[in-house]
């Protein structure tokens, strides 16, 4: 598998104004590469949810997109409190997001389930008090 | 249903990308929670929402939605409209509440969007 290109963007904690810019840049790049619109949409939904999770739940992190000739891999890693119970966090409607996140339109407990549904492969790893890392793969 | 017809029915003001009024919407979704919106299936859906921040536009951008309708007289900031303009999303603005706006569109034949 040959990696053709990779981009990486820092994501700031609590920045609801710029949150989404990394996903937007990745979307633009995928469009320039001529990838099909429905594939781009799946990648972008997963990527944007992951990006907003970093904004809402972490102390900051990054989003990385690695583009191969047959797939895109998105890695979202943050520094943060970590997830205590991943099975519970994967449940639709379960959320630990603070009230202000809900006021911004997030925290409905659909983020992780949406990410999983949107991609072909979904991996999540977290260590309490240290990090959460999500890796998602969508094949062309 | 064409966006032009929706504008008429909701007595809405067009805040940007007026040239999209000929666009044909096949369904609608109404919500203030963006993750719920992100589980939408069809891109020919329009979004009705009371969430007037930049994330409503980002969500529409990720889903390739062509129209957002802001309800209950909540006018978005110019920065929100500017981003929508740049992303080719038509923004409408109506005095009706979310429920009433949906009721008007539904009773005129526009159906709800399917989920993934």
């Amino acid at each position: 598998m040959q990696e053709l290109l990779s981009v990486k963007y820092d994501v700031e904690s609590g920045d609801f104004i710029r949150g989404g810019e990394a996903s937007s840049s990745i979307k633009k790049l995928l469009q320039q590469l001529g990838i099909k619109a429905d594939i781009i949409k799946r990648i972008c939904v997963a990527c944007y949810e992951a990006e907003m999770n970093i904004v809402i739940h972490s102390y900051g992190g990054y989003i990385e997109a690695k583009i191969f000739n047959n797939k895109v891999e998105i890695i979202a890693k943050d520094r943060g409190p970590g997830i205590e119970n991943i099975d519970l966090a994967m449940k639709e409607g379960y959320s630990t997001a603070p009230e202000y996140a809900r006021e911004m339109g997030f925290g409905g407990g659909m983020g992780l389930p949406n990410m999983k549904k949107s991609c072909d492969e979904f991996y999540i790893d977290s260590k309490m008090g240290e990090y959460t890392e999500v890796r998602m793969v969508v094949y062309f | 249903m064409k966006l032009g017809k929706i504008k008429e029915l909701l007595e809405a003001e067009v805040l940007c990308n007026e040239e999209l009024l000929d666009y044909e919407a096949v369904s609608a979704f109404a919500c203030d929670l963006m993750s719920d919106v992100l589980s939408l299936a069809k891109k020919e859906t329009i979004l009705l929402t009371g969430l007037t921040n930049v994330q409503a536009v980002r969500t529409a951008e990720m889903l390739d939605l062509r129209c957002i309708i802001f309800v209950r007289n909540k006018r978005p900031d110019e920065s929100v409209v500017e981003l929508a303009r740049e992303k080719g999303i038509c923004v409408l603005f109506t005095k009706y509440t979310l429920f009433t706006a949906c009721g008007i569109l539904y009773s005129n034949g526009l159906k709800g969007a399917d989920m993934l």
Side-chain angles (χ1 to χ4, degrees):
Chain A
M1 215 78 57
Q2 197 193 347
E3 185 178 322
L4 305 172
L5 190 63
S6 88
V7 285
K8 192 171 168 182
Y9 300 93
D10 286 328
V11 180
E12 300 255 347
S13 170
D15 192 345
F16 282 92
I17 302 296
R18 292 189 58 228
E21 281 186 2
S23 303
S24 180
S25 302
I26 290 168
K27 179 176 184 181
K28 212 177 286 172
L29 175 67
L30 296 173
Q31 283 172 328
Q32 283 164 357
L33 291 172
I35 291 160
K36 278 200 327 208
D38 57 326
I39 297 281
I40 294 181
K41 187 173 129 180
R42 287 174 53 209
I43 297 164
C44 286
V45 165
C47 186
Y48 178 53
E49 289 279 19
E51 183 174 356
M52 293 315 292
N53 266 0
I54 296 177
V55 170
I56 295 162
H57 294 283
S58 83
Y59 309 140
Y62 66 83
I63 295 269
E64 189 175 13
K66 293 180 175 177
I67 298 148
F68 297 83
N69 48 13
N70 66 333
K71 65 175 181 180
V72 172
E73 200 176 307
I74 302 283
I75 295 149
K77 186 167 183 181
D78 68 37
R79 305 176 302 283
I83 300 174
E84 193 173 359
N85 185 334
I86 290 180
D87 288 340
L88 199 54
M90 291 304 300
K91 244 180 88 177
E92 293 191 2
Y94 178 82
S95 176
T96 58
E99 191 52 40
Y100 69 82
R102 254 177 279 265
E103 280 161 19
M104 301 304 287
F106 291 88
M110 291 301 288
L112 287 172
N114 273 354
M115 285 181 228
K116 193 175 177 186
K117 261 193 246 176
S118 274
C119 51
D120 296 309
E121 290 172 26
F122 176 87
Y123 308 95
I124 181 165
D125 180 30
S126 183
K127 192 165 181 199
M128 287 301 286
E130 288 189 29
Y131 69 90
T132 297
E133 180 174 2
V134 172
R135 194 162 68 81
M136 300 174 286
V137 181
V138 175
Y139 290 93
F140 299 149
Chain B
M1 187 183 286
K2 284 210 173 15
L3 296 188
K5 174 94 186 285
I6 291 170
K7 169 189 180 284
E8 231 171 78
L9 288 170
L10 298 181
E11 300 165 45
E13 194 182 316
V14 185
L15 299 184
C16 68
N17 293 326
E18 196 157 2
E19 66 279 8
L20 284 170
L21 289 181
D22 261 341
Y23 175 83
E24 184 85 29
V26 302
S27 60
F29 192 81
C31 196
D32 289 353
L33 274 176
M34 292 302 110
S35 285
D36 284 8
V37 182
L38 287 162
S39 56
L40 278 181
K42 290 200 184 73
K43 66 176 180 183
E44 294 83 4
T45 295
I46 56 165
L47 170 64
L48 292 99
T49 184
L51 185 83
T52 51
N53 69 23
V54 74
Q55 297 308 331
V57 178
R58 286 282 179 219
T59 300
E61 178 197 356
M62 296 306 151
L63 293 169
D64 295 323
L65 304 188
R66 291 276 75 91
C67 177
I68 303 175
I69 301 167
F70 290 117
V71 298
R72 52 180 183 262
N73 250 337
K74 285 169 81 177
R75 186 182 284 272
D77 281 351
E78 189 46 41
S79 61
V80 174
V81 177
E82 193 48 51
L83 183 66
R85 188 176 290 125
E86 183 194 321
K87 300 297 175 189
I89 297 162
C90 176
V91 175
L92 301 181
F93 165 67
T94 178
K95 64 183 179 193
Y96 291 112
T97 63
L98 188 56
F99 183 82
T100 305
C102 292
I104 291 170
L105 297 181
Y106 194 88
S107 60
N108 278 277
L110 189 63
K111 294 293 180 240
D114 298 326
M115 304 290 284
L116 276 180

